Amino acid sequence: MGDQARVARIAAHIFEAHRDRWRFERLRGELAPASMAEAYEVQDEVHRLFREAGWGELAGHKIALTSKPIQELCGVDQPAGGAIFARTVHPSPATIRLAEFMHLGLEFELGVRLGRDLPATDAPYTRDAVAGHVAACMPAFELIEDRGADYGDLDAASILTDKCWCGGVVLGPEVASWRDLDLTSAPVVLLWNGEVVDQGVTGAAMGHPFEGLAWLANLLAARGRGMKAGEIVITGSALRTRFPEAGDEVTYRIEDLGETTVRITA
């Protein structure tokens, strides 16, 4: 366990940075977590501060840094886990205001809703094991709040402590009949103002979306925490992050799972 006074000091700095709309900067010196384990303790305290500030309870979880290039950029060899606040969960189609973000990015993911608990006591979990706990899947946008970060000066601990940059999600309709789908190679399409601008497969995030779900369940279990039925999990982006402008309408479609749409206003 990290130094609790230092953990509180780092978390307060991050909360103030959001409140006062400071540009994101990696944590250095006395503000830098000593380890990824301490960074997760800071994240817990950051989440507490945001809950007390009216962001609502935690509605689920996210997985960040799922691609090798972004891991190398941030100096780690594994993903990172974060949380989704209830206040920031939007059904599709959603209208999102740029003014509510310092710098909004969109990521394009497969989301799941858990139908059964994933208790810490049952870890370690595998991809096949977690599949039995998934009630529904859906296409999802993650709303990234990077606060204007310099992408040439990043590290994983700084992103992790900063709510893993999660500003919310926009969820398409839930699909319970997902079990016959090949989620390794399900085609995905991104439409930007009606034009196809990118395509890929759901397995681009860690080979299969449930690999990320299992990884996250094991991460939480190592910290003595489980995952609860009803929670949402977004499993990592299948396409590169894009940054919308006012007036954009964006649709992310997963074959046989439907689509999610977001409209961007000033």
Side-chain angles (χ1 to χ4, degrees), residues 207-250:
H208 190 289
F210 294 172
E211 292 287 359
L213 179 58
W215 179 89
L216 184 58
N218 292 330
L219 170 74
L220 292 171
R223 305 189 65 226
R225 296 167 54 189
M227 302 169 78
K228 299 294 186 182
E231 289 184 329
I232 300 158
V233 185
I234 52 173
T235 57
S237 192
L239 304 170
R240 70 174 178 86
T241 306
R242 291 176 180 261
F243 300 92
E245 298 179 351
D248 286 339
E249 179 171 305
V250 187

Side-chain angles (χ1 to χ4, degrees), residues 134-150:
V134 173
C137 295
M138 75 287 287
F141 291 112
E142 182 180 3
L143 307 175
I144 297 292
E145 170 60 287
D146 69 14
R147 291 197 288 121
D150 176 358

Side-chain angles (χ1 to χ4, degrees), residues 4-70:
Q4 290 307 296
R6 199 163 77 91
V7 165
R9 186 165 62 251
I10 299 169
H13 168 81
I14 293 166
F15 180 79
E16 289 166 7
H18 278 267
R19 183 193 63 198
D20 298 338
R21 296 177 73 89
W22 301 341
R23 185 180 182 186
F24 177 91
E25 292 184 356
R26 67 183 296 174
L27 300 171
R28 289 185 166 89
E30 293 184 355
L31 290 174
S35 65
M36 290 296 281
E38 187 175 61
Y40 279 108
E41 292 183 43
V42 174
Q43 184 191 81
D44 288 344
E45 178 65 7
V46 169
H47 289 161
R48 185 188 69 79
L49 293 172
F50 273 85
R51 286 198 302 272
E52 291 184 352
W55 280 58
E57 293 304 308
L58 300 181
H61 310 269
K62 68 160 285 185
I63 304 160
L65 311 183
T66 54
S67 74
K68 290 300 180 185
I70 193 64

Side-chain angles (χ1 to χ4, degrees), residues 87-99:
R87 184 177 115 176
T88 68
V89 177
H90 310 276
S92 172
T95 299
I96 301 297
R97 295 179 61 235
L98 288 179

Side-chain angles (χ1 to χ4, degrees), residues 191-194 245 247-251 261-264:
L191 295 99
W192 207 277
N193 298 323
E245 298 179 351
D248 286 339
E249 179 171 305
V250 187
T251 295
T261 296
V262 62
R263 301 181 182 103
I264 307 297

